[in-house]
PDB file of all heavy atoms in Angstrom:
ATOM      1  N   VAL X 126     -68.108 -63.775  76.998  1.00 96.00           N
ATOM      2  CA  VAL X 126     -69.480 -63.525  77.445  1.00 96.00           C
ATOM      3  C   VAL X 126     -69.458 -62.755  78.763  1.00 96.00           C
ATOM      4  O   VAL X 126     -70.164 -61.745  78.931  1.00 96.00           O
ATOM      5  CB  VAL X 126     -70.248 -64.857  77.600  1.00 96.00           C
ATOM      6  CG1 VAL X 126     -71.558 -64.634  78.357  1.00 96.00           C
ATOM      7  CG2 VAL X 126     -70.526 -65.471  76.232  1.00 96.00           C
ATOM      8  N   ASP X 127     -68.642 -63.211  79.706  1.00 95.00           N
ATOM      9  CA  ASP X 127     -68.531 -62.531  81.004  1.00 95.00           C
ATOM     10  C   ASP X 127     -68.047 -61.094  80.833  1.00 95.00           C
ATOM     11  O   ASP X 127     -68.562 -60.162  81.474  1.00 95.00           O
ATOM     12  CB  ASP X 127     -67.566 -63.286  81.921  1.00 95.00           C
ATOM     13  CG  ASP X 127     -68.146 -64.599  82.414  1.00 95.00           C
ATOM     14  OD1 ASP X 127     -69.373 -64.782  82.311  1.00 95.00           O
ATOM     15  OD2 ASP X 127     -67.371 -65.442  82.904  1.00 95.00           O
ATOM     16  N   GLU X 128     -67.046 -60.919  79.978  1.00 97.00           N
ATOM     17  CA  GLU X 128     -66.473 -59.589  79.784  1.00 97.00           C
ATOM     18  C   GLU X 128     -67.493 -58.612  79.203  1.00 97.00           C
ATOM     19  O   GLU X 128     -67.614 -57.471  79.667  1.00 97.00           O
ATOM     20  CB  GLU X 128     -65.258 -59.682  78.859  1.00 97.00           C
ATOM     21  CG  GLU X 128     -64.568 -58.355  78.620  1.00 97.00           C
ATOM     22  CD  GLU X 128     -63.363 -58.482  77.697  1.00 97.00           C
ATOM     23  OE1 GLU X 128     -62.872 -59.610  77.503  1.00 97.00           O
ATOM     24  OE2 GLU X 128     -62.925 -57.443  77.159  1.00 97.00           O
ATOM     25  N   HIS X 129     -68.234 -59.064  78.193  1.00 98.00           N
ATOM     26  CA  HIS X 129     -69.237 -58.181  77.588  1.00 98.00           C
ATOM     27  C   HIS X 129     -70.340 -57.831  78.581  1.00 98.00           C
ATOM     28  O   HIS X 129     -70.781 -56.676  78.645  1.00 98.00           O
ATOM     29  CB  HIS X 129     -69.825 -58.837  76.341  1.00 98.00           C
ATOM     30  CG  HIS X 129     -68.913 -58.783  75.156  1.00 98.00           C
ATOM     31  ND1 HIS X 129     -68.465 -57.596  74.609  1.00 98.00           N
ATOM     32  CD2 HIS X 129     -68.348 -59.770  74.398  1.00 98.00           C
ATOM     33  CE1 HIS X 129     -67.679 -57.847  73.570  1.00 98.00           C
ATOM     34  NE2 HIS X 129     -67.584 -59.154  73.435  1.00 98.00           N
ATOM     35  N   GLN X 130     -70.767 -58.802  79.355  1.00 97.00           N
ATOM     36  CA  GLN X 130     -71.819 -58.516  80.336  1.00 97.00           C
ATOM     37  C   GLN X 130     -71.303 -57.599  81.438  1.00 97.00           C
ATOM     38  O   GLN X 130     -72.037 -56.753  81.942  1.00 97.00           O
ATOM     39  CB  GLN X 130     -72.364 -59.817  80.907  1.00 97.00           C
ATOM     40  CG  GLN X 130     -73.169 -60.608  79.862  1.00 97.00           C
ATOM     41  CD  GLN X 130     -73.761 -61.883  80.393  1.00 97.00           C
ATOM     42  OE1 GLN X 130     -73.177 -62.545  81.251  1.00 97.00           O
ATOM     43  NE2 GLN X 130     -74.916 -62.272  79.883  1.00 97.00           N
ATOM     44  N   LEU X 131     -70.025 -57.738  81.792  1.00 97.00           N
ATOM     45  CA  LEU X 131     -69.423 -56.846  82.782  1.00 97.00           C
ATOM     46  C   LEU X 131     -69.426 -55.402  82.294  1.00 97.00           C
ATOM     47  O   LEU X 131     -69.581 -54.466  83.087  1.00 97.00           O
ATOM     48  CB  LEU X 131     -67.993 -57.303  83.076  1.00 97.00           C
ATOM     49  CG  LEU X 131     -67.241 -56.561  84.190  1.00 97.00           C
ATOM     50  CD1 LEU X 131     -67.939 -56.786  85.532  1.00 97.00           C
ATOM     51  CD2 LEU X 131     -65.794 -57.033  84.265  1.00 97.00           C
ATOM     52  N   HIS X 132     -69.298 -55.233  80.966  1.00 97.00           N
ATOM     53  CA  HIS X 132     -69.314 -53.895  80.380  1.00 97.00           C
ATOM     54  C   HIS X 132     -70.735 -53.431  80.034  1.00 97.00           C
ATOM     55  O   HIS X 132     -70.895 -52.407  79.368  1.00 97.00           O
ATOM     56  CB  HIS X 132     -68.436 -53.846  79.126  1.00 97.00           C
ATOM     57  CG  HIS X 132     -66.970 -53.822  79.424  1.00 97.00           C
ATOM     58  ND1 HIS X 132     -66.225 -54.956  79.667  1.00 97.00           N
ATOM     59  CD2 HIS X 132     -66.087 -52.777  79.540  1.00 97.00           C
ATOM     60  CE1 HIS X 132     -64.973 -54.624  79.897  1.00 97.00           C
ATOM     61  NE2 HIS X 132     -64.852 -53.316  79.836  1.00 97.00           N
ATOM     62  N   GLY X 133     -71.726 -54.183  80.468  1.00 97.00           N
ATOM     63  CA  GLY X 133     -73.111 -53.762  80.288  1.00 97.00           C
ATOM     64  C   GLY X 133     -73.712 -54.078  78.929  1.00 97.00           C
ATOM     65  O   GLY X 133     -74.783 -53.564  78.598  1.00 97.00           O
ATOM     66  N   ARG X 134     -73.033 -54.899  78.137  1.00 98.00           N
ATOM     67  CA  ARG X 134     -73.567 -55.262  76.822  1.00 98.00           C
ATOM     68  C   ARG X 134     -74.452 -56.491  76.926  1.00 98.00           C
ATOM     69  O   ARG X 134     -74.137 -57.430  77.664  1.00 98.00           O
ATOM     70  CB  ARG X 134     -72.439 -55.538  75.827  1.00 98.00           C
ATOM     71  CG  ARG X 134     -71.485 -54.379  75.627  1.00 98.00           C
ATOM     72  CD  ARG X 134     -70.419 -54.702  74.567  1.00 98.00           C
ATOM     73  NE  ARG X 134     -69.386 -53.659  74.603  1.00 98.00           N
ATOM     74  CZ  ARG X 134     -68.195 -53.795  75.162  1.00 98.00           C
ATOM     75  NH1 ARG X 134     -67.864 -54.957  75.705  1.00 98.00           N
ATOM     76  NH2 ARG X 134     -67.337 -52.798  75.172  1.00 98.00           N
ATOM     77  N   ASP X 135     -75.535 -56.501  76.174  1.00 98.00           N
ATOM     78  CA  ASP X 135     -76.337 -57.709  76.060  1.00 98.00           C
ATOM     79  C   ASP X 135     -75.547 -58.756  75.279  1.00 98.00           C
ATOM     80  O   ASP X 135     -74.778 -58.423  74.366  1.00 98.00           O
ATOM     81  CB  ASP X 135     -77.650 -57.434  75.321  1.00 98.00           C
ATOM     82  CG  ASP X 135     -78.670 -56.710  76.188  1.00 98.00           C
ATOM     83  OD1 ASP X 135     -78.405 -56.529  77.398  1.00 98.00           O
ATOM     84  OD2 ASP X 135     -79.723 -56.328  75.643  1.00 98.00           O
ATOM     85  N   VAL X 136     -75.743 -60.013  75.615  1.00 98.00           N
ATOM     86  CA  VAL X 136     -75.141 -61.120  74.872  1.00 98.00           C
ATOM     87  C   VAL X 136     -76.254 -61.837  74.114  1.00 98.00           C
ATOM     88  O   VAL X 136     -77.247 -62.265  74.699  1.00 98.00           O
ATOM     89  CB  VAL X 136     -74.407 -62.091  75.812  1.00 98.00           C
ATOM     90  CG1 VAL X 136     -74.030 -63.382  75.086  1.00 98.00           C
ATOM     91  CG2 VAL X 136     -73.166 -61.424  76.382  1.00 98.00           C
ATOM     92  N   VAL X 137     -76.073 -61.929  72.801  1.00 98.00           N
ATOM     93  CA  VAL X 137     -77.092 -62.507  71.931  1.00 98.00           C
ATOM     94  C   VAL X 137     -76.476 -63.658  71.145  1.00 98.00           C
ATOM     95  O   VAL X 137     -75.462 -63.473  70.462  1.00 98.00           O
ATOM     96  CB  VAL X 137     -77.658 -61.457  70.945  1.00 98.00           C
ATOM     97  CG1 VAL X 137     -78.791 -62.060  70.117  1.00 98.00           C
ATOM     98  CG2 VAL X 137     -78.132 -60.214  71.691  1.00 98.00           C
ATOM     99  N   ILE X 138     -77.061 -64.840  71.233  1.00 98.00           N
ATOM    100  CA  ILE X 138     -76.636 -65.969  70.414  1.00 98.00           C
ATOM    101  C   ILE X 138     -77.479 -65.992  69.146  1.00 98.00           C
ATOM    102  O   ILE X 138     -78.714 -65.966  69.218  1.00 98.00           O
ATOM    103  CB  ILE X 138     -76.770 -67.297  71.176  1.00 98.00           C
ATOM    104  CG1 ILE X 138     -75.806 -67.317  72.366  1.00 98.00           C
ATOM    105  CG2 ILE X 138     -76.479 -68.482  70.250  1.00 98.00           C
ATOM    106  CD1 ILE X 138     -75.908 -68.558  73.218  1.00 98.00           C
ATOM    107  N   VAL X 139     -76.817 -66.023  68.011  1.00 98.00           N
ATOM    108  CA  VAL X 139     -77.498 -66.038  66.715  1.00 98.00           C
ATOM    109  C   VAL X 139     -77.051 -67.302  65.987  1.00 98.00           C
ATOM    110  O   VAL X 139     -75.918 -67.386  65.511  1.00 98.00           O
ATOM    111  CB  VAL X 139     -77.153 -64.784  65.877  1.00 98.00           C
ATOM    112  CG1 VAL X 139     -78.011 -64.737  64.625  1.00 98.00           C
ATOM    113  CG2 VAL X 139     -77.348 -63.516  66.706  1.00 98.00           C
ATOM    114  N   SER X 140     -77.934 -68.296  65.915  1.00 94.00           N
ATOM    115  CA  SER X 140     -77.520 -69.615  65.444  1.00 94.00           C
ATOM    116  C   SER X 140     -78.465 -70.188  64.405  1.00 94.00           C
ATOM    117  O   SER X 140     -79.691 -69.999  64.478  1.00 94.00           O
ATOM    118  CB  SER X 140     -77.439 -70.588  66.629  1.00 94.00           C
ATOM    119  OG  SER X 140     -77.140 -71.894  66.190  1.00 94.00           O
ATOM    120  N   THR X 141     -77.897 -70.933  63.456  1.00 90.00           N
ATOM    121  CA  THR X 141     -78.689 -71.632  62.457  1.00 90.00           C
ATOM    122  C   THR X 141     -79.321 -72.889  63.036  1.00 90.00           C
ATOM    123  O   THR X 141     -80.262 -73.439  62.458  1.00 90.00           O
ATOM    124  CB  THR X 141     -77.801 -71.999  61.241  1.00 90.00           C
ATOM    125  OG1 THR X 141     -77.208 -70.796  60.749  1.00 90.00           O
ATOM    126  CG2 THR X 141     -78.599 -72.633  60.119  1.00 90.00           C
ATOM    127  N   SER X 142     -78.831 -73.362  64.170  1.00 87.00           N
ATOM    128  CA  SER X 142     -79.432 -74.529  64.811  1.00 87.00           C
ATOM    129  C   SER X 142     -80.829 -74.191  65.318  1.00 87.00           C
ATOM    130  O   SER X 142     -81.200 -73.025  65.442  1.00 87.00           O
ATOM    131  CB  SER X 142     -78.546 -75.019  65.961  1.00 87.00           C
ATOM    132  OG  SER X 142     -77.331 -75.538  65.468  1.00 87.00           O
ATOM    133  N   GLY X 143     -81.597 -75.242  65.643  1.00 88.00           N
ATOM    134  CA  GLY X 143     -82.988 -75.057  66.044  1.00 88.00           C
ATOM    135  C   GLY X 143     -83.142 -74.456  67.419  1.00 88.00           C
ATOM    136  O   GLY X 143     -82.310 -74.653  68.313  1.00 88.00           O
TER     137      GLY X 143
END
Side-chain angles (χ1 to χ4, degrees):
V126 167
D127 289 344
E128 181 180 343
H129 284 300
Q130 291 182 326
L131 185 64
H132 285 84
R134 302 183 191 103
D135 284 354
V136 168
V137 184
I138 295 177
V139 187
S140 176
T141 304
S142 293

